[in-house]
Amino acid sequence: DGGITQSPKYLFRKEGQNVTLSCEQNLNHDAMYWYRQDPGQGLRLIYYSQIVNDFQKGDIAEGYSVSREKKESFPLTVTSAQKNPTAFYLCASSPEGGPRQYFGPGTRLTVT
Amino acid sequence: KQEVTQIPAALSVPEGENLVLNCSFTDSAIYNLQWFRQDPGKGLTSLLLIQSSQREQTSGRLNASLDKSSGRSTLYIAASQPGDSATYLCAVEGYSSASKIIFGSGTRLSIRP
């Protein structure tokens, strides 16, 4: 089955700890994206990558970091510098030049 | 700066009714507009995508229209069913960067049996 997987589904961390969220796709898509969703709000773009070994900041990149060493993988690290990290995190991918994004099931991160 | 607004934030209707969800955007220079469905605690599923040159798209009981000049889109759901209960988000993609999509905050739809 082709698709996007995110793990884990739920993640709990103590304040001050870095945490890495996984995103893997086997759709052979070039572009990958990370979004954050807060209750009652739309999605906000954190980082995106259009090709391996390259990525750009989105609208709310502060306190986050990413890497794109492989086409299939785009992990997101939430650092201790992120002031309000508790949220629902969604990963997406799209084919080169394609407007339609395909979303993973999301990871709910809770930091206490 | 593009802003996308969806009103109302929540809507509850009895089963069988036809309904319309609204989406408005401030910058009419869009590349496309998409409607997504999101079930609680889940990711997004793309329902319909309308290119800037198109006026509407249909899929089954769903019909989405686009009026760029007025900055509006509607999602029409015919003969609503309890399984249609979900949050519906619209999102626009601009020409300035093909990688950035701006989302509305969604309309939470509840269909009462």
Short mmCIF file of all heavy atoms in Angstrom, two decimals, chain A residues 8 10-21 78 85-86 108-112:
data_model
loop_
_atom_site.label_atom_id
_atom_site.label_comp_id
_atom_site.label_asym_id
_atom_site.label_seq_id
_atom_site.Cartn_x
_atom_site.Cartn_y
_atom_site.Cartn_z
N PRO A 8 5.16 8.37 16.52
CA PRO A 8 3.99 7.61 16.99
C PRO A 8 2.70 8.42 16.81
O PRO A 8 2.75 9.58 16.43
CB PRO A 8 4.32 7.39 18.46
CG PRO A 8 5.07 8.63 18.85
CD PRO A 8 5.90 8.99 17.64
N TYR A 10 0.62 9.13 19.36
CA TYR A 10 0.61 10.01 20.54
C TYR A 10 2.03 10.05 21.13
O TYR A 10 2.70 9.02 21.20
CB TYR A 10 -0.36 9.51 21.61
CG TYR A 10 -1.79 9.44 21.15
CD1 TYR A 10 -2.34 8.24 20.71
CD2 TYR A 10 -2.60 10.57 21.16
CE1 TYR A 10 -3.65 8.18 20.29
CE2 TYR A 10 -3.91 10.52 20.75
CZ TYR A 10 -4.44 9.32 20.31
OH TYR A 10 -5.73 9.26 19.89
N LEU A 11 2.44 11.22 21.57
CA LEU A 11 3.78 11.39 22.12
C LEU A 11 3.70 12.33 23.30
O LEU A 11 3.10 13.41 23.20
CB LEU A 11 4.69 11.95 21.03
CG LEU A 11 6.19 11.98 21.27
CD1 LEU A 11 6.73 10.61 21.63
CD2 LEU A 11 6.89 12.50 20.01
N PHE A 12 4.33 11.91 24.39
CA PHE A 12 4.33 12.74 25.59
C PHE A 12 5.79 13.03 25.97
O PHE A 12 6.63 12.14 25.97
CB PHE A 12 3.62 12.02 26.74
CG PHE A 12 2.18 11.73 26.46
CD1 PHE A 12 1.80 10.56 25.82
CD2 PHE A 12 1.20 12.64 26.82
CE1 PHE A 12 0.47 10.30 25.53
CE2 PHE A 12 -0.13 12.38 26.55
CZ PHE A 12 -0.50 11.21 25.91
N ARG A 13 6.05 14.28 26.30
CA ARG A 13 7.41 14.67 26.68
C ARG A 13 7.35 15.70 27.80
O ARG A 13 6.35 16.41 27.97
CB ARG A 13 8.14 15.29 25.48
CG ARG A 13 8.71 14.30 24.51
CD ARG A 13 9.83 13.47 25.12
NE ARG A 13 10.42 12.56 24.16
CZ ARG A 13 9.99 11.34 23.95
NH1 ARG A 13 8.95 10.86 24.61
NH2 ARG A 13 10.60 10.57 23.07
N LYS A 14 8.45 15.73 28.52
CA LYS A 14 8.60 16.75 29.56
C LYS A 14 9.16 18.02 28.94
O LYS A 14 9.94 17.97 27.97
CB LYS A 14 9.57 16.25 30.64
CG LYS A 14 9.05 15.06 31.44
CD LYS A 14 7.93 15.46 32.35
CE LYS A 14 7.55 14.31 33.27
NZ LYS A 14 6.37 14.65 34.11
N GLU A 15 8.77 19.13 29.50
CA GLU A 15 9.29 20.41 29.04
C GLU A 15 10.81 20.42 29.12
O GLU A 15 11.40 19.88 30.06
CB GLU A 15 8.71 21.52 29.93
CG GLU A 15 8.87 22.92 29.37
CD GLU A 15 8.12 23.93 30.21
OE1 GLU A 15 6.99 23.65 30.63
OE2 GLU A 15 8.68 25.01 30.46
N GLY A 16 11.43 20.99 28.07
CA GLY A 16 12.89 21.08 28.04
C GLY A 16 13.56 19.97 27.26
O GLY A 16 14.76 20.03 27.02
N GLN A 17 12.79 18.96 26.87
CA GLN A 17 13.35 17.85 26.09
C GLN A 17 13.07 18.08 24.61
O GLN A 17 12.00 18.54 24.23
CB GLN A 17 12.70 16.53 26.51
CG GLN A 17 13.04 16.08 27.92
CD GLN A 17 12.37 14.77 28.28
OE1 GLN A 17 11.31 14.43 27.73
NE2 GLN A 17 12.95 14.02 29.19
N ASN A 18 14.06 17.72 23.78
CA ASN A 18 13.82 17.69 22.34
C ASN A 18 13.09 16.40 22.00
O ASN A 18 13.25 15.37 22.68
CB ASN A 18 15.15 17.72 21.57
CG ASN A 18 15.87 19.05 21.70
OD1 ASN A 18 15.35 20.00 22.26
ND2 ASN A 18 17.09 19.10 21.20
N VAL A 19 12.28 16.44 20.95
CA VAL A 19 11.57 15.24 20.52
C VAL A 19 11.50 15.23 19.00
O VAL A 19 11.34 16.29 18.37
CB VAL A 19 10.15 15.18 21.14
CG1 VAL A 19 9.32 16.38 20.74
CG2 VAL A 19 9.46 13.89 20.77
N THR A 20 11.65 14.05 18.40
CA THR A 20 11.63 13.92 16.94
C THR A 20 10.41 13.14 16.49
O THR A 20 10.15 12.04 16.99
CB THR A 20 12.91 13.25 16.42
OG1 THR A 20 14.04 14.06 16.77
CG2 THR A 20 12.85 13.08 14.91
N LEU A 21 9.66 13.73 15.55
CA LEU A 21 8.49 13.10 14.97
C LEU A 21 8.88 12.51 13.62
O LEU A 21 9.54 13.17 12.80
CB LEU A 21 7.37 14.12 14.80
CG LEU A 21 6.56 14.52 16.03
CD1 LEU A 21 7.44 15.14 17.10
CD2 LEU A 21 5.45 15.47 15.64
N VAL A 78 11.19 18.81 17.42
CA VAL A 78 10.65 19.91 18.21
C VAL A 78 11.65 20.17 19.33
O VAL A 78 11.86 19.31 20.20
CB VAL A 78 9.26 19.55 18.78
CG1 VAL A 78 8.66 20.74 19.50
CG2 VAL A 78 8.34 19.06 17.67
N PRO A 85 4.83 23.80 22.39
CA PRO A 85 4.91 22.69 21.45
C PRO A 85 3.71 21.75 21.41
O PRO A 85 3.57 20.98 20.48
CB PRO A 85 6.15 21.93 21.93
CG PRO A 85 6.20 22.22 23.40
CD PRO A 85 5.71 23.62 23.56
N THR A 86 2.85 21.81 22.42
CA THR A 86 1.70 20.89 22.45
C THR A 86 0.77 21.22 21.29
O THR A 86 0.24 22.33 21.20
CB THR A 86 0.96 21.02 23.79
OG1 THR A 86 1.81 20.56 24.84
CG2 THR A 86 -0.31 20.19 23.77
N ARG A 108 -0.02 13.48 17.74
CA ARG A 108 -0.43 14.44 18.78
C ARG A 108 0.65 14.49 19.84
O ARG A 108 0.90 13.49 20.52
CB ARG A 108 -1.77 14.05 19.39
CG ARG A 108 -2.28 15.09 20.39
CD ARG A 108 -3.74 14.88 20.76
NE ARG A 108 -4.61 14.94 19.61
CZ ARG A 108 -5.04 16.06 19.04
NH1 ARG A 108 -4.64 17.24 19.51
NH2 ARG A 108 -5.86 16.02 18.01
N LEU A 109 1.29 15.63 19.96
CA LEU A 109 2.38 15.83 20.92
C LEU A 109 1.86 16.61 22.12
O LEU A 109 1.23 17.66 21.96
CB LEU A 109 3.54 16.60 20.27
CG LEU A 109 4.67 17.03 21.20
CD1 LEU A 109 5.41 15.83 21.77
CD2 LEU A 109 5.65 17.94 20.45
N THR A 110 2.12 16.07 23.30
CA THR A 110 1.76 16.75 24.53
C THR A 110 3.03 16.95 25.36
O THR A 110 3.73 15.98 25.66
CB THR A 110 0.74 15.96 25.35
OG1 THR A 110 -0.43 15.75 24.56
CG2 THR A 110 0.36 16.71 26.62
N VAL A 111 3.31 18.19 25.69
CA VAL A 111 4.49 18.52 26.49
C VAL A 111 4.02 19.12 27.82
O VAL A 111 3.22 20.06 27.83
CB VAL A 111 5.40 19.51 25.75
CG1 VAL A 111 6.58 19.92 26.64
CG2 VAL A 111 5.90 18.90 24.45
N THR A 112 4.49 18.52 28.91
CA THR A 112 4.06 18.98 30.23
C THR A 112 5.25 19.41 31.08
O THR A 112 6.40 19.12 30.76
CB THR A 112 3.29 17.89 30.96
OG1 THR A 112 4.12 16.74 31.07
CG2 THR A 112 2.01 17.54 30.21
#
